[in-house]
Amino acid sequence: MSSEYTVTETLDVKGQSCPMPIVKTKQAIDDLEAGDVLEVIATDSGSMSDIQGWADGTDGVELLEQEEADDRYTHYVKKTE
């Protein structure tokens, strides 16, 4: 994880497949304040493109980073407004 930001909350969506990682990510982001960073931990490989596409098409969020290791996909999403 980058040292440029601090994780505010972690969302565990391991074992869930599309669309649930996106649905739960949106719900969690809605509960955060601007500037907060959500760490999303998934096991669905599709979450890499799904969360990227969601972040690209959604105002008020920025995908900071994505990591893949040992069949785990970790996403860092910042609420910008």
PDB file of all heavy atoms in Angstrom, residues 3-41:
ATOM      1  N   SER A   3       2.198   4.962   0.841  1.00  0.00           N
ATOM      2  CA  SER A   3       2.247   5.743   2.068  1.00  0.00           C
ATOM      3  C   SER A   3       1.655   7.128   1.857  1.00  0.00           C
ATOM      4  O   SER A   3       1.670   7.949   2.764  1.00  0.00           O
ATOM      5  CB  SER A   3       3.693   5.848   2.551  1.00  0.00           C
ATOM      6  OG  SER A   3       4.465   6.492   1.555  1.00  0.00           O
ATOM      7  N   GLU A   4       1.124   7.396   0.670  1.00  0.00           N
ATOM      8  CA  GLU A   4       0.575   8.712   0.352  1.00  0.00           C
ATOM      9  C   GLU A   4      -0.825   8.907   0.923  1.00  0.00           C
ATOM     10  O   GLU A   4      -1.360  10.004   0.878  1.00  0.00           O
ATOM     11  CB  GLU A   4       0.537   8.916  -1.157  1.00  0.00           C
ATOM     12  CG  GLU A   4       1.907   8.926  -1.788  1.00  0.00           C
ATOM     13  CD  GLU A   4       1.828   9.011  -3.299  1.00  0.00           C
ATOM     14  OE1 GLU A   4       0.807   9.474  -3.834  1.00  0.00           O
ATOM     15  OE2 GLU A   4       2.793   8.606  -3.950  1.00  0.00           O
ATOM     16  N   TYR A   5      -1.437   7.863   1.444  1.00  0.00           N
ATOM     17  CA  TYR A   5      -2.781   7.980   1.993  1.00  0.00           C
ATOM     18  C   TYR A   5      -2.955   7.004   3.153  1.00  0.00           C
ATOM     19  O   TYR A   5      -2.215   6.039   3.280  1.00  0.00           O
ATOM     20  CB  TYR A   5      -3.848   7.737   0.925  1.00  0.00           C
ATOM     21  CG  TYR A   5      -3.632   6.489   0.114  1.00  0.00           C
ATOM     22  CD1 TYR A   5      -4.105   5.255   0.542  1.00  0.00           C
ATOM     23  CD2 TYR A   5      -2.938   6.523  -1.088  1.00  0.00           C
ATOM     24  CE1 TYR A   5      -3.898   4.104  -0.188  1.00  0.00           C
ATOM     25  CE2 TYR A   5      -2.728   5.378  -1.841  1.00  0.00           C
ATOM     26  CZ  TYR A   5      -3.214   4.179  -1.384  1.00  0.00           C
ATOM     27  OH  TYR A   5      -3.001   3.039  -2.111  1.00  0.00           O
ATOM     28  N   THR A   6      -3.944   7.290   3.986  1.00  0.00           N
ATOM     29  CA  THR A   6      -4.246   6.455   5.138  1.00  0.00           C
ATOM     30  C   THR A   6      -5.640   5.877   4.965  1.00  0.00           C
ATOM     31  O   THR A   6      -6.592   6.607   4.659  1.00  0.00           O
ATOM     32  CB  THR A   6      -4.197   7.300   6.427  1.00  0.00           C
ATOM     33  OG1 THR A   6      -2.895   7.871   6.544  1.00  0.00           O
ATOM     34  CG2 THR A   6      -4.491   6.454   7.644  1.00  0.00           C
ATOM     35  N   VAL A   7      -5.764   4.574   5.160  1.00  0.00           N
ATOM     36  CA  VAL A   7      -7.056   3.903   5.028  1.00  0.00           C
ATOM     37  C   VAL A   7      -7.949   4.301   6.201  1.00  0.00           C
ATOM     38  O   VAL A   7      -7.547   4.206   7.360  1.00  0.00           O
ATOM     39  CB  VAL A   7      -6.872   2.371   4.972  1.00  0.00           C
ATOM     40  CG1 VAL A   7      -8.209   1.659   5.059  1.00  0.00           C
ATOM     41  CG2 VAL A   7      -6.136   1.979   3.707  1.00  0.00           C
ATOM     42  N   THR A   8      -9.149   4.753   5.889  1.00  0.00           N
ATOM     43  CA  THR A   8     -10.129   5.150   6.893  1.00  0.00           C
ATOM     44  C   THR A   8     -10.981   3.963   7.318  1.00  0.00           C
ATOM     45  O   THR A   8     -11.295   3.801   8.485  1.00  0.00           O
ATOM     46  CB  THR A   8     -11.053   6.253   6.328  1.00  0.00           C
ATOM     47  OG1 THR A   8     -10.239   7.318   5.833  1.00  0.00           O
ATOM     48  CG2 THR A   8     -12.003   6.772   7.372  1.00  0.00           C
ATOM     49  N   GLU A   9     -11.354   3.134   6.335  1.00  0.00           N
ATOM     50  CA  GLU A   9     -12.239   2.002   6.605  1.00  0.00           C
ATOM     51  C   GLU A   9     -11.895   0.866   5.645  1.00  0.00           C
ATOM     52  O   GLU A   9     -11.468   1.108   4.514  1.00  0.00           O
ATOM     53  CB  GLU A   9     -13.694   2.423   6.408  1.00  0.00           C
ATOM     54  CG  GLU A   9     -14.696   1.352   6.769  1.00  0.00           C
ATOM     55  CD  GLU A   9     -16.132   1.853   6.689  1.00  0.00           C
ATOM     56  OE1 GLU A   9     -16.389   2.997   7.085  1.00  0.00           O
ATOM     57  OE2 GLU A   9     -16.983   1.080   6.212  1.00  0.00           O
ATOM     58  N   THR A  10     -12.091  -0.376   6.103  1.00  0.00           N
ATOM     59  CA  THR A  10     -11.864  -1.547   5.264  1.00  0.00           C
ATOM     60  C   THR A  10     -13.192  -2.257   5.027  1.00  0.00           C
ATOM     61  O   THR A  10     -13.961  -2.466   5.969  1.00  0.00           O
ATOM     62  CB  THR A  10     -10.857  -2.510   5.926  1.00  0.00           C
ATOM     63  OG1 THR A  10      -9.606  -1.828   6.070  1.00  0.00           O
ATOM     64  CG2 THR A  10     -10.645  -3.760   5.077  1.00  0.00           C
ATOM     65  N   LEU A  11     -13.426  -2.609   3.769  1.00  0.00           N
ATOM     66  CA  LEU A  11     -14.636  -3.335   3.378  1.00  0.00           C
ATOM     67  C   LEU A  11     -14.211  -4.707   2.864  1.00  0.00           C
ATOM     68  O   LEU A  11     -13.447  -4.807   1.903  1.00  0.00           O
ATOM     69  CB  LEU A  11     -15.372  -2.564   2.279  1.00  0.00           C
ATOM     70  CG  LEU A  11     -16.592  -3.252   1.664  1.00  0.00           C
ATOM     71  CD1 LEU A  11     -17.689  -3.432   2.706  1.00  0.00           C
ATOM     72  CD2 LEU A  11     -17.100  -2.457   0.469  1.00  0.00           C
ATOM     73  N   ASP A  12     -14.701  -5.761   3.505  1.00  0.00           N
ATOM     74  CA  ASP A  12     -14.374  -7.134   3.126  1.00  0.00           C
ATOM     75  C   ASP A  12     -15.517  -7.699   2.287  1.00  0.00           C
ATOM     76  O   ASP A  12     -16.608  -7.926   2.802  1.00  0.00           O
ATOM     77  CB  ASP A  12     -14.170  -7.973   4.384  1.00  0.00           C
ATOM     78  CG  ASP A  12     -13.762  -9.399   4.097  1.00  0.00           C
ATOM     79  OD1 ASP A  12     -13.869  -9.856   2.933  1.00  0.00           O
ATOM     80  OD2 ASP A  12     -13.327 -10.081   5.038  1.00  0.00           O
ATOM     81  N   VAL A  13     -15.254  -7.906   0.997  1.00  0.00           N
ATOM     82  CA  VAL A  13     -16.249  -8.512   0.112  1.00  0.00           C
ATOM     83  C   VAL A  13     -15.716  -9.823  -0.468  1.00  0.00           C
ATOM     84  O   VAL A  13     -16.123 -10.241  -1.544  1.00  0.00           O
ATOM     85  CB  VAL A  13     -16.702  -7.533  -1.004  1.00  0.00           C
ATOM     86  CG1 VAL A  13     -17.512  -6.392  -0.421  1.00  0.00           C
ATOM     87  CG2 VAL A  13     -15.526  -7.010  -1.798  1.00  0.00           C
ATOM     88  N   LYS A  14     -14.825 -10.472   0.280  1.00  0.00           N
ATOM     89  CA  LYS A  14     -14.280 -11.759  -0.170  1.00  0.00           C
ATOM     90  C   LYS A  14     -15.419 -12.771  -0.303  1.00  0.00           C
ATOM     91  O   LYS A  14     -16.320 -12.805   0.512  1.00  0.00           O
ATOM     92  CB  LYS A  14     -13.213 -12.269   0.804  1.00  0.00           C
ATOM     93  CG  LYS A  14     -11.989 -11.403   0.864  1.00  0.00           C
ATOM     94  CD  LYS A  14     -10.850 -12.018   1.657  1.00  0.00           C
ATOM     95  CE  LYS A  14     -11.129 -12.300   3.078  1.00  0.00           C
ATOM     96  NZ  LYS A  14     -11.061 -11.178   3.989  1.00  0.00           N
ATOM     97  N   GLY A  15     -15.364 -13.564  -1.373  1.00  0.00           N
ATOM     98  CA  GLY A  15     -16.363 -14.590  -1.607  1.00  0.00           C
ATOM     99  C   GLY A  15     -17.607 -14.088  -2.329  1.00  0.00           C
ATOM    100  O   GLY A  15     -18.480 -14.879  -2.658  1.00  0.00           O
ATOM    101  N   GLN A  16     -17.674 -12.792  -2.580  1.00  0.00           N
ATOM    102  CA  GLN A  16     -18.835 -12.230  -3.275  1.00  0.00           C
ATOM    103  C   GLN A  16     -18.468 -11.907  -4.717  1.00  0.00           C
ATOM    104  O   GLN A  16     -17.350 -11.494  -5.001  1.00  0.00           O
ATOM    105  CB  GLN A  16     -19.310 -10.973  -2.552  1.00  0.00           C
ATOM    106  CG  GLN A  16     -19.743 -11.261  -1.129  1.00  0.00           C
ATOM    107  CD  GLN A  16     -20.226 -10.028  -0.416  1.00  0.00           C
ATOM    108  OE1 GLN A  16     -20.804  -9.134  -1.018  1.00  0.00           O
ATOM    109  NE2 GLN A  16     -19.986  -9.974   0.880  1.00  0.00           N
ATOM    110  N   SER A  17     -19.418 -12.131  -5.612  1.00  0.00           N
ATOM    111  CA  SER A  17     -19.161 -11.854  -7.022  1.00  0.00           C
ATOM    112  C   SER A  17     -20.045 -10.706  -7.489  1.00  0.00           C
ATOM    113  O   SER A  17     -20.960 -10.278  -6.791  1.00  0.00           O
ATOM    114  CB  SER A  17     -19.394 -13.109  -7.864  1.00  0.00           C
ATOM    115  OG  SER A  17     -20.699 -13.600  -7.668  1.00  0.00           O
ATOM    116  N   CYS A  18     -19.756 -10.241  -8.685  1.00  0.00           N
ATOM    117  CA  CYS A  18     -20.455  -9.113  -9.285  1.00  0.00           C
ATOM    118  C   CYS A  18     -21.956  -9.349  -9.225  1.00  0.00           C
ATOM    119  O   CYS A  18     -22.400 -10.463  -9.492  1.00  0.00           O
ATOM    120  CB  CYS A  18     -19.993  -8.969 -10.736  1.00  0.00           C
ATOM    121  SG  CYS A  18     -20.614  -7.496 -11.540  1.00  0.00           S
ATOM    122  N   PRO A  19     -22.700  -8.359  -8.845  1.00  0.00           N
ATOM    123  CA  PRO A  19     -22.347  -6.953  -8.653  1.00  0.00           C
ATOM    124  C   PRO A  19     -22.086  -6.560  -7.200  1.00  0.00           C
ATOM    125  O   PRO A  19     -21.909  -5.384  -6.905  1.00  0.00           O
ATOM    126  CB  PRO A  19     -23.595  -6.222  -9.161  1.00  0.00           C
ATOM    127  CG  PRO A  19     -24.723  -7.101  -8.690  1.00  0.00           C
ATOM    128  CD  PRO A  19     -24.181  -8.529  -8.848  1.00  0.00           C
ATOM    129  N   MET A  20     -22.076  -7.510  -6.278  1.00  0.00           N
ATOM    130  CA  MET A  20     -22.022  -7.160  -4.858  1.00  0.00           C
ATOM    131  C   MET A  20     -20.793  -6.345  -4.441  1.00  0.00           C
ATOM    132  O   MET A  20     -20.937  -5.409  -3.644  1.00  0.00           O
ATOM    133  CB  MET A  20     -22.173  -8.416  -3.991  1.00  0.00           C
ATOM    134  CG  MET A  20     -23.574  -9.017  -4.066  1.00  0.00           C
ATOM    135  SD  MET A  20     -24.941  -7.822  -3.953  1.00  0.00           S
ATOM    136  CE  MET A  20     -24.733  -7.218  -2.295  1.00  0.00           C
ATOM    137  N   PRO A  21     -19.581  -6.630  -4.936  1.00  0.00           N
ATOM    138  CA  PRO A  21     -18.469  -5.767  -4.527  1.00  0.00           C
ATOM    139  C   PRO A  21     -18.696  -4.290  -4.875  1.00  0.00           C
ATOM    140  O   PRO A  21     -18.383  -3.410  -4.065  1.00  0.00           O
ATOM    141  CB  PRO A  21     -17.270  -6.355  -5.281  1.00  0.00           C
ATOM    142  CG  PRO A  21     -17.605  -7.812  -5.393  1.00  0.00           C
ATOM    143  CD  PRO A  21     -19.100  -7.814  -5.667  1.00  0.00           C
ATOM    144  N   ILE A  22     -19.297  -4.028  -6.022  1.00  0.00           N
ATOM    145  CA  ILE A  22     -19.572  -2.643  -6.421  1.00  0.00           C
ATOM    146  C   ILE A  22     -20.695  -2.057  -5.561  1.00  0.00           C
ATOM    147  O   ILE A  22     -20.591  -0.927  -5.074  1.00  0.00           O
ATOM    148  CB  ILE A  22     -19.962  -2.559  -7.914  1.00  0.00           C
ATOM    149  CG1 ILE A  22     -18.790  -2.969  -8.792  1.00  0.00           C
ATOM    150  CG2 ILE A  22     -20.456  -1.162  -8.273  1.00  0.00           C
ATOM    151  CD1 ILE A  22     -17.594  -2.079  -8.703  1.00  0.00           C
ATOM    152  N   VAL A  23     -21.753  -2.803  -5.362  1.00  0.00           N
ATOM    153  CA  VAL A  23     -22.882  -2.329  -4.566  1.00  0.00           C
ATOM    154  C   VAL A  23     -22.415  -1.969  -3.158  1.00  0.00           C
ATOM    155  O   VAL A  23     -22.716  -0.889  -2.633  1.00  0.00           O
ATOM    156  CB  VAL A  23     -24.006  -3.394  -4.518  1.00  0.00           C
ATOM    157  CG1 VAL A  23     -25.074  -3.023  -3.498  1.00  0.00           C
ATOM    158  CG2 VAL A  23     -24.618  -3.589  -5.898  1.00  0.00           C
ATOM    159  N   LYS A  24     -21.649  -2.856  -2.548  1.00  0.00           N
ATOM    160  CA  LYS A  24     -21.194  -2.610  -1.169  1.00  0.00           C
ATOM    161  C   LYS A  24     -20.146  -1.501  -1.110  1.00  0.00           C
ATOM    162  O   LYS A  24     -20.092  -0.754  -0.135  1.00  0.00           O
ATOM    163  CB  LYS A  24     -20.692  -3.907  -0.557  1.00  0.00           C
ATOM    164  CG  LYS A  24     -21.847  -4.877  -0.348  1.00  0.00           C
ATOM    165  CD  LYS A  24     -21.497  -6.006   0.552  1.00  0.00           C
ATOM    166  CE  LYS A  24     -22.754  -6.823   0.823  1.00  0.00           C
ATOM    167  NZ  LYS A  24     -22.531  -7.845   1.815  1.00  0.00           N
ATOM    168  N   THR A  25     -19.316  -1.393  -2.154  1.00  0.00           N
ATOM    169  CA  THR A  25     -18.335  -0.298  -2.198  1.00  0.00           C
ATOM    170  C   THR A  25     -19.064   1.040  -2.252  1.00  0.00           C
ATOM    171  O   THR A  25     -18.719   1.969  -1.521  1.00  0.00           O
ATOM    172  CB  THR A  25     -17.396  -0.456  -3.407  1.00  0.00           C
ATOM    173  OG1 THR A  25     -16.652  -1.677  -3.261  1.00  0.00           O
ATOM    174  CG2 THR A  25     -16.431   0.712  -3.524  1.00  0.00           C
ATOM    175  N   LYS A  26     -20.083   1.154  -3.097  1.00  0.00           N
ATOM    176  CA  LYS A  26     -20.846   2.396  -3.188  1.00  0.00           C
ATOM    177  C   LYS A  26     -21.500   2.731  -1.853  1.00  0.00           C
ATOM    178  O   LYS A  26     -21.455   3.875  -1.393  1.00  0.00           O
ATOM    179  CB  LYS A  26     -21.910   2.316  -4.279  1.00  0.00           C
ATOM    180  CG  LYS A  26     -22.654   3.645  -4.421  1.00  0.00           C
ATOM    181  CD  LYS A  26     -23.921   3.528  -5.205  1.00  0.00           C
ATOM    182  CE  LYS A  26     -24.654   4.850  -5.318  1.00  0.00           C
ATOM    183  NZ  LYS A  26     -24.847   5.592  -4.091  1.00  0.00           N
ATOM    184  N   GLN A  27     -22.098   1.732  -1.206  1.00  0.00           N
ATOM    185  CA  GLN A  27     -22.742   1.972   0.087  1.00  0.00           C
ATOM    186  C   GLN A  27     -21.726   2.455   1.121  1.00  0.00           C
ATOM    187  O   GLN A  27     -22.000   3.387   1.883  1.00  0.00           O
ATOM    188  CB  GLN A  27     -23.426   0.693   0.583  1.00  0.00           C
ATOM    189  CG  GLN A  27     -24.638   0.306  -0.227  1.00  0.00           C
ATOM    190  CD  GLN A  27     -25.183  -1.067   0.127  1.00  0.00           C
ATOM    191  OE1 GLN A  27     -24.491  -1.897   0.717  1.00  0.00           O
ATOM    192  NE2 GLN A  27     -26.432  -1.320  -0.254  1.00  0.00           N
ATOM    193  N   ALA A  28     -20.553   1.838   1.151  1.00  0.00           N
ATOM    194  CA  ALA A  28     -19.522   2.217   2.124  1.00  0.00           C
ATOM    195  C   ALA A  28     -18.989   3.614   1.836  1.00  0.00           C
ATOM    196  O   ALA A  28     -18.785   4.411   2.750  1.00  0.00           O
ATOM    197  CB  ALA A  28     -18.394   1.193   2.117  1.00  0.00           C
ATOM    198  N   ILE A  29     -18.767   3.937   0.553  1.00  0.00           N
ATOM    199  CA  ILE A  29     -18.272   5.265   0.176  1.00  0.00           C
ATOM    200  C   ILE A  29     -19.286   6.342   0.570  1.00  0.00           C
ATOM    201  O   ILE A  29     -18.922   7.417   1.049  1.00  0.00           O
ATOM    202  CB  ILE A  29     -17.963   5.322  -1.342  1.00  0.00           C
ATOM    203  CG1 ILE A  29     -16.619   4.658  -1.640  1.00  0.00           C
ATOM    204  CG2 ILE A  29     -17.980   6.760  -1.866  1.00  0.00           C
ATOM    205  CD1 ILE A  29     -15.388   5.431  -1.203  1.00  0.00           C
ATOM    206  N   ASP A  30     -20.566   6.056   0.408  1.00  0.00           N
ATOM    207  CA  ASP A  30     -21.611   7.022   0.754  1.00  0.00           C
ATOM    208  C   ASP A  30     -21.564   7.400   2.231  1.00  0.00           C
ATOM    209  O   ASP A  30     -21.965   8.510   2.596  1.00  0.00           O
ATOM    210  CB  ASP A  30     -22.996   6.474   0.398  1.00  0.00           C
ATOM    211  CG  ASP A  30     -23.269   6.473  -1.098  1.00  0.00           C
ATOM    212  OD1 ASP A  30     -22.495   7.100  -1.858  1.00  0.00           O
ATOM    213  OD2 ASP A  30     -24.256   5.830  -1.503  1.00  0.00           O
ATOM    214  N   ASP A  31     -21.080   6.502   3.073  1.00  0.00           N
ATOM    215  CA  ASP A  31     -21.025   6.747   4.519  1.00  0.00           C
ATOM    216  C   ASP A  31     -19.749   7.464   4.959  1.00  0.00           C
ATOM    217  O   ASP A  31     -19.611   7.800   6.135  1.00  0.00           O
ATOM    218  CB  ASP A  31     -21.137   5.424   5.282  1.00  0.00           C
ATOM    219  CG  ASP A  31     -22.527   4.802   5.153  1.00  0.00           C
ATOM    220  OD1 ASP A  31     -23.487   5.539   4.855  1.00  0.00           O
ATOM    221  OD2 ASP A  31     -22.650   3.583   5.357  1.00  0.00           O
ATOM    222  N   LEU A  32     -18.812   7.671   4.041  1.00  0.00           N
ATOM    223  CA  LEU A  32     -17.543   8.306   4.396  1.00  0.00           C
ATOM    224  C   LEU A  32     -17.586   9.812   4.151  1.00  0.00           C
ATOM    225  O   LEU A  32     -18.473  10.318   3.472  1.00  0.00           O
ATOM    226  CB  LEU A  32     -16.399   7.679   3.587  1.00  0.00           C
ATOM    227  CG  LEU A  32     -16.128   6.191   3.821  1.00  0.00           C
ATOM    228  CD1 LEU A  32     -14.984   5.729   2.937  1.00  0.00           C
ATOM    229  CD2 LEU A  32     -15.833   5.902   5.274  1.00  0.00           C
ATOM    230  N   GLU A  33     -16.594  10.491   4.691  1.00  0.00           N
ATOM    231  CA  GLU A  33     -16.439  11.933   4.496  1.00  0.00           C
ATOM    232  C   GLU A  33     -15.454  12.176   3.349  1.00  0.00           C
ATOM    233  O   GLU A  33     -14.602  11.322   3.058  1.00  0.00           O
ATOM    234  CB  GLU A  33     -15.886  12.576   5.771  1.00  0.00           C
ATOM    235  CG  GLU A  33     -16.775  12.391   6.998  1.00  0.00           C
ATOM    236  CD  GLU A  33     -18.097  13.097   6.882  1.00  0.00           C
ATOM    237  OE1 GLU A  33     -18.142  14.188   6.281  1.00  0.00           O
ATOM    238  OE2 GLU A  33     -19.110  12.554   7.383  1.00  0.00           O
ATOM    239  N   ALA A  34     -15.529  13.352   2.740  1.00  0.00           N
ATOM    240  CA  ALA A  34     -14.580  13.719   1.685  1.00  0.00           C
ATOM    241  C   ALA A  34     -13.159  13.607   2.226  1.00  0.00           C
ATOM    242  O   ALA A  34     -12.873  14.043   3.345  1.00  0.00           O
ATOM    243  CB  ALA A  34     -14.860  15.128   1.199  1.00  0.00           C
ATOM    244  N   GLY A  35     -12.285  12.985   1.451  1.00  0.00           N
ATOM    245  CA  GLY A  35     -10.894  12.790   1.840  1.00  0.00           C
ATOM    246  C   GLY A  35     -10.620  11.430   2.451  1.00  0.00           C
ATOM    247  O   GLY A  35      -9.465  11.013   2.564  1.00  0.00           O
ATOM    248  N   ASP A  36     -11.673  10.719   2.866  1.00  0.00           N
ATOM    249  CA  ASP A  36     -11.507   9.388   3.441  1.00  0.00           C
ATOM    250  C   ASP A  36     -11.146   8.379   2.356  1.00  0.00           C
ATOM    251  O   ASP A  36     -11.525   8.523   1.196  1.00  0.00           O
ATOM    252  CB  ASP A  36     -12.789   8.926   4.136  1.00  0.00           C
ATOM    253  CG  ASP A  36     -13.061   9.649   5.448  1.00  0.00           C
ATOM    254  OD1 ASP A  36     -12.171  10.382   5.927  1.00  0.00           O
ATOM    255  OD2 ASP A  36     -14.174   9.482   5.985  1.00  0.00           O
ATOM    256  N   VAL A  37     -10.417   7.329   2.756  1.00  0.00           N
ATOM    257  CA  VAL A  37      -9.999   6.278   1.834  1.00  0.00           C
ATOM    258  C   VAL A  37     -10.585   4.943   2.290  1.00  0.00           C
ATOM    259  O   VAL A  37     -10.422   4.539   3.448  1.00  0.00           O
ATOM    260  CB  VAL A  37      -8.458   6.184   1.755  1.00  0.00           C
ATOM    261  CG1 VAL A  37      -8.038   5.002   0.868  1.00  0.00           C
ATOM    262  CG2 VAL A  37      -7.873   7.481   1.218  1.00  0.00           C
ATOM    263  N   LEU A  38     -11.256   4.275   1.379  1.00  0.00           N
ATOM    264  CA  LEU A  38     -11.843   2.964   1.616  1.00  0.00           C
ATOM    265  C   LEU A  38     -10.948   1.895   1.007  1.00  0.00           C
ATOM    266  O   LEU A  38     -10.596   1.972  -0.173  1.00  0.00           O
ATOM    267  CB  LEU A  38     -13.242   2.888   0.986  1.00  0.00           C
ATOM    268  CG  LEU A  38     -13.969   1.551   1.090  1.00  0.00           C
ATOM    269  CD1 LEU A  38     -14.319   1.234   2.540  1.00  0.00           C
ATOM    270  CD2 LEU A  38     -15.228   1.569   0.231  1.00  0.00           C
ATOM    271  N   GLU A  39     -10.584   0.904   1.803  1.00  0.00           N
ATOM    272  CA  GLU A  39      -9.851  -0.264   1.320  1.00  0.00           C
ATOM    273  C   GLU A  39     -10.888  -1.361   1.086  1.00  0.00           C
ATOM    274  O   GLU A  39     -11.643  -1.696   1.998  1.00  0.00           O
ATOM    275  CB  GLU A  39      -8.833  -0.715   2.365  1.00  0.00           C
ATOM    276  CG  GLU A  39      -8.124  -2.007   2.006  1.00  0.00           C
ATOM    277  CD  GLU A  39      -7.211  -2.473   3.129  1.00  0.00           C
ATOM    278  OE1 GLU A  39      -7.692  -2.578   4.280  1.00  0.00           O
ATOM    279  OE2 GLU A  39      -6.038  -2.732   2.860  1.00  0.00           O
ATOM    280  N   VAL A  40     -10.939  -1.895  -0.130  1.00  0.00           N
ATOM    281  CA  VAL A  40     -11.888  -2.950  -0.483  1.00  0.00           C
ATOM    282  C   VAL A  40     -11.087  -4.216  -0.771  1.00  0.00           C
ATOM    283  O   VAL A  40     -10.200  -4.214  -1.626  1.00  0.00           O
ATOM    284  CB  VAL A  40     -12.723  -2.573  -1.724  1.00  0.00           C
ATOM    285  CG1 VAL A  40     -13.736  -3.668  -2.040  1.00  0.00           C
ATOM    286  CG2 VAL A  40     -13.421  -1.229  -1.529  1.00  0.00           C
ATOM    287  N   ILE A  41     -11.406  -5.298  -0.050  1.00  0.00           N
ATOM    288  CA  ILE A  41     -10.700  -6.571  -0.228  1.00  0.00           C
ATOM    289  C   ILE A  41     -11.675  -7.564  -0.858  1.00  0.00           C
ATOM    290  O   ILE A  41     -12.727  -7.860  -0.282  1.00  0.00           O
ATOM    291  CB  ILE A  41     -10.165  -7.110   1.109  1.00  0.00           C
ATOM    292  CG1 ILE A  41      -9.234  -6.076   1.744  1.00  0.00           C
ATOM    293  CG2 ILE A  41      -9.449  -8.439   0.893  1.00  0.00           C
ATOM    294  CD1 ILE A  41      -8.827  -6.399   3.155  1.00  0.00           C
TER     295      ILE A  41
END
